[in-house]
Every structure is written in structure tokens, then in C-alpha cells.
Amino acid sequence: GEAASETCVDAPTLSIIYITKRPGGYDVLFESLAQQTSKDFELICIDDTGPLDKDSGLRSPPARRAKAVAYAVRLGVPLVALVASKKKVRGLRFGQCNAINSGLVLAS
């Protein structure tokens, strides 16, 4: 009972799921979100650039992820995840629905 209600109270009002397959683009997103008057949101980035790294399960190069996370922190943007979408079962193409589902799993 009480633990569940505490979790709901602490959850942000809005979960923003940003999906990209393009290198770059985080600067504009983070700068725009940093200017918002309300910080009652969480940002989840699904980044499917580059080939899948078998060791980490991620597509985005580690240096790119680290730079993006550091920039979000510096601007005070509540970035809670920057990950690749879950592995596709069929086909090789980037699946927007697959990426959205990957973000929804991480939302509060």
C-alpha cells in the first residue's frame, strides 16, 4: 500500500521519450529542455546510431553517450536513461515502435 503510493507521488508528471537514429542532435534537445520552467519530467533517450556492440548491447559509441550525459547533467536536464532500443526479433531495419516500447519500459 504505502510504498506504492510513495513511488507514484515521486514520479514525474511527464516522461519524454526521445528516439534518434542520427548522430548529434542532443545539444538542441537538452538546451531546449533546460529552459523549461518546470522540471517535473524525465527524459529517456533511445539512441540507435551505429552498429550494435555485442559486449555492452548498445549502439551509440561510449564516448558519444558519455558526452551527452555530461551535457545533460551540466544543464540540469533530468535524463534518466540513454540506451539503445531492445533487440529486434524480426528484420534489420530500425523499428520506431520497437524504440518507443524500449523507452516506455524505462518510464516512471
Side-chain angles (χ1 to χ4, degrees):
E2 288 184 36
S5 65
E6 287 179 26
T7 303
C8 292
V9 171
D10 295 335
T13 301
L14 178 67
S15 295
I16 300 169
I17 301 172
Y18 177 78
I19 302 165
T20 187
K21 194 178 165 185
R22 299 178 186 172
Y26 287 117
D27 294 354
V28 174
L29 172 69
F30 295 162
E31 289 165 7
S32 176
L33 292 174
Q35 293 178 23
Q36 300 302 309
T37 55
S38 172
K39 296 292 187 222
D40 189 17
F41 64 89
E42 65 183 357
L43 176 62
I44 299 164
C45 293
I46 308 299
D47 188 336
D48 274 350
T49 57
L52 183 66
D53 177 53
K54 293 178 183 177
D55 293 329
S56 69
L58 299 171
R59 294 183 195 283
S60 181
R64 174 190 155 125
R65 286 193 311 275
K67 184 178 176 183
V69 170
Y71 194 51
V73 169
R74 188 164 37 123
L75 293 177
V77 173
L79 175 65
V80 298
L82 195 160
V83 298
S85 63
K86 63 183 181 171
K87 187 176 179 181
K88 287 189 68 172
V89 177
R90 290 184 245 165
L92 298 175
R93 290 185 20 187
F94 172 76
Q96 188 174 13
C97 293
N98 191 51
I100 291 169
N101 289 338
S102 297
L104 288 173
V105 168
L106 299 170
S108 296

